[in-house]
Amino acid sequence: MNSFEMYFLSNGFLWCSSRLFPYLAFVLFGLLFAFLLVWILGLKGHVKALFLVSIPLVVLSFYFAMFPIYQGDFSNENQQIKRDYKMGELKLNRLVVLSLPGCPYCLESMERMRIVKQRHPSITIEYKVCHGDSASLLWFKKYGKKDFVYSLATNVDMTSKLAQGLYPTYVLSRKSYLIVWSVEQFGMSGIDEVEASLSK
């Protein structure tokens, strides 16, 4: 998250809005700057129109080059899986992040999850380490500190099946079903869904 997005997030905007609003802000800034130049230089006609169109596009292109939008940024392609007795370790009404020891993407996920926790302190986020041991938990605790809950997966077959080899995998645990996102599917819309669901 860049500082522009963090400004909107810290003021209560949704994740999707916070990702998009800086682009709108830069277009407006470019337009104001163009009007200022047109007024100072006394431009008229086609030259005036060219300035009013091209300058906002240049400013927007500059911001986009610095902070591009990726395909997965707004994805929310989750799966709903019926709960069974094998999933008892996935406690209700929390976001469980299935992780692997030493996984750099799992570590990166903590940055966004920490923001979610700061925005909604009542939300419980659990990092469940698959194929790990107590030393693996210490590695996660070192970086996650006290912001999250940490545990080892007891039913590795079940958690591996949910993750399908993609880590981190995000699981929203409900009474009768699970909502599961792979790392590629959990974009801003997915985070908005989690926050709306767990912060009630």
Side-chain angles (χ1 to χ4, degrees):
M1 303 297 295
N2 63 55
S3 57
F4 299 106
E5 295 167 357
M6 283 301 302
Y7 171 79
F8 288 105
L9 273 178
S10 62
N11 282 281
F13 286 82
L14 297 176
W15 285 77
C16 285
S17 303
S18 298
R19 188 77 170 97
L20 289 173
F21 279 4
Y23 289 91
L24 178 60
F26 270 77
V27 169
L28 293 175
F29 171 77
L31 196 56
L32 289 173
F33 184 63
F35 272 112
L36 182 62
L37 280 180
V38 165
W39 178 71
I40 291 174
L41 299 175
L43 302 176
K44 295 181 180 180
H46 294 300
V47 177
K48 175 182 178 181
L50 181 65
F51 266 66
L52 294 178
V53 172
S54 61
I55 290 178
L57 288 177
V58 169
V59 172
L60 179 62
S61 299
F62 175 76
Y63 182 78
F64 184 83
M66 296 286 291
F67 308 106
I69 293 177
Y70 296 102
Q71 184 176 355
D73 283 351
F74 298 97
S75 62
N76 188 14
E77 302 173 21
N78 58 58
Q79 291 181 302
Q80 286 198 14
I81 299 174
K82 186 177 180 181
R83 237 186 131 88
D84 62 32
Y85 70 95
K86 297 178 182 178
M87 300 170 178
E89 66 179 287
L90 300 172
K91 296 181 180 179
L92 301 181
N93 300 321
R94 63 174 55 186
L95 180 66
V96 180
V97 186
L98 302 180
S99 309
L100 282 181
C103 166
Y105 302 109
C106 301
L107 189 59
E108 284 179 15
S109 73
M110 288 184 172
E111 179 183 348
R112 282 187 177 178
M113 294 302 99
R114 185 171 285 113
I115 296 171
V116 171
K117 186 68 178 173
Q118 290 169 351
R119 283 163 54 88
H120 304 281
S122 62
I123 291 180
T124 300
I125 301 173
E126 177 182 358
Y127 275 79
K128 186 170 287 292
V129 183
C130 309
H131 308 288
D133 53 23
S134 56
S136 305
L137 281 183
L138 291 176
W139 185 82
F140 276 92
K141 289 178 180 178
K142 175 183 176 182
Y143 293 100
K145 302 186 176 6
K146 296 181 179 180
D147 294 318
F148 313 111
V149 175
Y150 309 92
S151 66
L152 291 172
T154 56
N155 188 337
V156 175
D157 289 338
M158 180 272 295
T159 55
S160 297
K161 186 176 179 180
L162 288 177
Q164 297 180 352
L166 297 173
Y167 296 91
T169 289
Y170 302 85
V171 181
L172 182 57
S173 183
R174 291 306 200 187
K175 186 175 181 179
S176 59
Y177 63 93
L178 306 175
I179 303 176
V180 182
W181 295 266
S182 72
V183 63
E184 298 166 346
Q185 298 169 330
F186 195 61
M188 305 293 176
S189 297
I191 301 176
D192 282 336
E193 181 178 340
V194 167
E195 287 191 345
S197 179
L198 294 181
S199 61
K200 293 178 180 178

